[in-house]
Structure formats: structure tokens, C-alpha cells
Amino acid sequence: AEPLVQLVNATNEFVELLRPKEIIGRIPGFDRVPFNTQVPRETGDPTAYWVGQAQVKPLSRMAFDKISLTFAKVAGIVPMTEELMKFSNPSAEIRVRNGLIKAIAYLTDRDFLDPTKAEQVGVSPASVTNGVTPITASGTTADALRADLGALLEDYAEENQDIDGLVLAMTPMQAVRISLMRNTLGGREFDGITRGGGELEGIPVVTSTNIAATGGSPVDGYPIVAINASDIYLAEEGVAIDLSREATLQMESAPDSPVTGATNLVSLWQQNMVAIKAERFITWKKKRDTSVKFIQNAKYTG
């Protein structure tokens, strides 16, 4: 009787992969600029001197360089058969489109904060934490967290930076553990922080599981990243979605570039297939090397 029992898709129901919340779109205060922008930057201060009557006034000099934001893009392509797109329920086209958008958000967020992400010239920007000397967590207690946060803020103060737009980024689990810290009377050590963010000692907090673990392993702990948003240039456009039945594709996740005589190409039209492409133009650059700081190996548990 097995043929009599049919599996029916529940309309409008679909179990998605667990995806993290986006970071870049939730941090306010970035200095948004167009692509292919060049900005002069002061790298050396002039010097002033006390000068006596009738004495020659000494000269000083300033130093400058330039910050350039060329365009960069993130893209993904998923092919499927026309039959799948036509008869699937729920719609495979919508699910693939949404999946590509989320994959792009995940990659850009991850690379925005991962200290190991270096610049690939002509391809992608370095993360805002790349090249930053971190503060290593001094312990796991509330007192250690206060001391480490104080050291981080002191670094900003020593560099004369305005931190009115400072934001802390951490994982939801880090925020949960901090919110669960209790003092000897049973009261909360840090009011205002929840798994969704809030604030820590008056500093806004955003949370996301996009943040890469220190050393690539959760055992080593995750960083808590301080971002002076107004000190970061951000250029971006929304995600563009295209669909094609006539394109010719390499059915590879690591395609030949450039194409060679041995490259296997597939005609979508000939194979009765459709491909959906998602593409996002986005790039960023710090105004100063000291715009971002982070605490590494942060495993505050109380």
C-alpha cells in the first residue's frame, strides 16, 4: 500500500538553514561615501614653538597621504532546472534568491571583522580588525571585563579620538554570559545588555554569530570588537538579482579563470536550465589605523 501514501509539501512552509544576524546593516554612524573615492589624510602634525622678541621663527611641516576606496563586489550563482523552478512548492526560485542574499550578508559581515582577513588587491578589502594589536582578556570575571574595557577605552583616549559613535560587536552567547553575571547580593553586574545587544557600561552593543572565533576555534574564545563607526568609510549598494536562461556556465565552485581549452562549459538553454545570480557592491576602509580595537580570547563567565 506504499504507493497510496503520498508525501505532500506544506504550502508556504520551508525549514531554512540557521543564519546569523547581519552586523554591517545594524551599526549606525558609518561615514558613507560613493565608490572610487579618494580622500587626503593627515599623517603628521605641525609643531609650534615659543619665540622670543626679534628671533627667527622656526618652520615645521605636516605629512599627508590618501585613502582610496575602489569598488569591490561579492557574488553567487545557483543553477537549477526549469522544471524545478516551475513545479516546486514552495518556490525554489524564491528560496534560492533569499539564500543567496543571506550568503552574501554572511560573507561580508564575516570578512568585515575577521582579523585574519587581509586585503586582496583588486578583489576584496581587509577587515577593519586586520593588523590591529589586540588586548588579551585578563580573566573571565566581571572585574576582568571592566578592566579590559577600561584598557580599550584608554587606548582611544591616548590617541585623542572622539568615541561618541563607538559600538561594541560580540556574539549573542558572549552577551548572554555577561548579562547573567551577578554580584554577591544577586544583582546584575551589567544592566542593559541582552543576547540581542543593548549596551555595556553605556556603550551600544550589537550581536551576531558572524564573528569569527579567535584563532579559528570557539575554545579560544571570541573577540569583542570596538568600532568607532564615524571613523570608517563605507561604500555599498544593495544586492542585485539577475536570472538567465541563455548563459554559459562552468559548473564549478572553483572555476577556471581565465577559461582554457579544457574548461567544461554548459549551455543553460541547451540543458533546459536557469541560473540565478546575486551580486553586491560593497567596500570599506578605516580613516585611521586606530579606528577599531578588540579584546581577544574574551570568555567572560562571571
Side-chain angles (χ1 to χ4, degrees):
E2 182 179 358
L4 300 179
V5 181
Q6 300 295 325
L7 299 179
V8 180
N9 284 332
T11 305
N12 298 325
E13 291 292 332
F14 188 80
V15 180
E16 294 186 336
L17 290 173
L18 295 175
R19 300 287 188 178
K21 293 182 178 179
E22 188 181 24
I23 296 172
I24 293 177
R26 296 167 58 218
I27 296 178
F30 288 122
D31 192 346
R32 295 181 178 269
V33 296
F35 290 105
N36 298 330
T37 298
Q38 186 169 268
V39 182
R41 173 174 59 178
E42 180 182 326
T43 60
D45 290 329
T47 303
Y49 304 87
W50 292 103
V51 181
Q53 183 177 355
Q55 291 183 353
V56 178
K57 301 174 184 66
L59 300 180
S60 66
R61 67 177 62 187
M62 298 179 67
F64 300 90
D65 66 4
K66 294 178 180 178
I67 303 173
S68 299
L69 273 85
T70 56
F71 71 86
K73 63 182 175 181
V74 180
I77 298 176
V78 174
M80 68 182 78
T81 64
E82 289 192 359
E83 290 82 1
L84 175 62
M85 188 175 72
K86 182 179 296 185
F87 298 114
S88 61
N89 184 17
S91 171
E93 178 185 356
I94 293 175
R95 300 302 175 184
V96 169
R97 180 196 64 193
N98 291 345
L100 282 170
I101 291 173
K102 291 176 181 178
I104 287 174
Y106 172 79
L107 178 63
T108 52
D109 270 2
R110 188 88 166 183
D111 285 354
F112 181 71
L113 292 179
D114 185 357
T116 66
K117 175 63 178 71
E119 180 181 10
Q120 290 182 272
V121 178
V123 179
S124 61
S127 73
V128 295
T129 56
N130 184 252
V132 175
T133 301
I135 295 171
T136 300
S138 60
T140 61
T141 65
D143 287 340
L145 173 55
R146 276 187 282 264
D148 298 339
L149 185 59
L152 185 148
L153 296 176
E154 187 176 0
D155 281 352
Y156 278 116
E158 289 177 350
E159 293 148 1
N160 296 318
Q161 288 205 50
D162 182 354
I163 56 172
D164 285 345
L166 197 68
V167 175
L168 297 176
M170 64 181 71
T171 68
M173 197 64 242
Q174 284 175 309
V176 167
R177 291 191 180 279
I178 293 172
S179 72
L180 291 174
M181 288 182 176
R182 295 294 184 266
N183 57 32
T184 55
L185 299 177
R188 294 185 62 176
E189 288 278 6
F190 303 99
D191 284 328
I193 186 169
T194 67
R195 64 181 177 84
E199 64 177 37
L200 178 62
E201 299 292 20
I203 304 173
V205 174
V206 296
T207 61
S208 175
T209 51
N210 279 355
I211 300 173
T214 302
S217 171
V219 175
D220 298 322
Y222 291 83
I224 293 178
V225 184
I227 303 166
N228 198 0
S230 61
D231 242 14
I232 295 176
Y233 288 121
L234 177 68
E236 67 169 334
E237 293 180 358
V239 179
I241 304 293
D242 291 319
L243 183 146
S244 177
R245 291 177 171 83
E246 287 76 36
T248 300
L249 301 179
Q250 296 183 53
M251 297 297 187
E252 298 287 345
S253 58
D256 295 334
S257 183
V259 173
T260 69
T263 301
N264 185 27
L265 300 175
V266 174
S267 166
L268 297 181
W269 178 81
Q270 189 174 27
Q271 296 290 333
N272 205 38
M273 298 180 71
V274 177
I276 297 176
K277 179 183 73 174
E279 192 171 62
R280 181 187 191 184
F281 286 85
I282 183 169
T283 191
W284 53 77
K285 183 163 283 190
K286 294 180 289 188
K287 295 181 183 179
R288 301 172 181 84
D289 293 338
T290 55
S291 302
V292 174
K293 303 181 184 299
F294 68 97
I295 303 169
Q296 69 177 357
N297 305 121
K299 297 183 287 185
Y300 302 108
T301 57

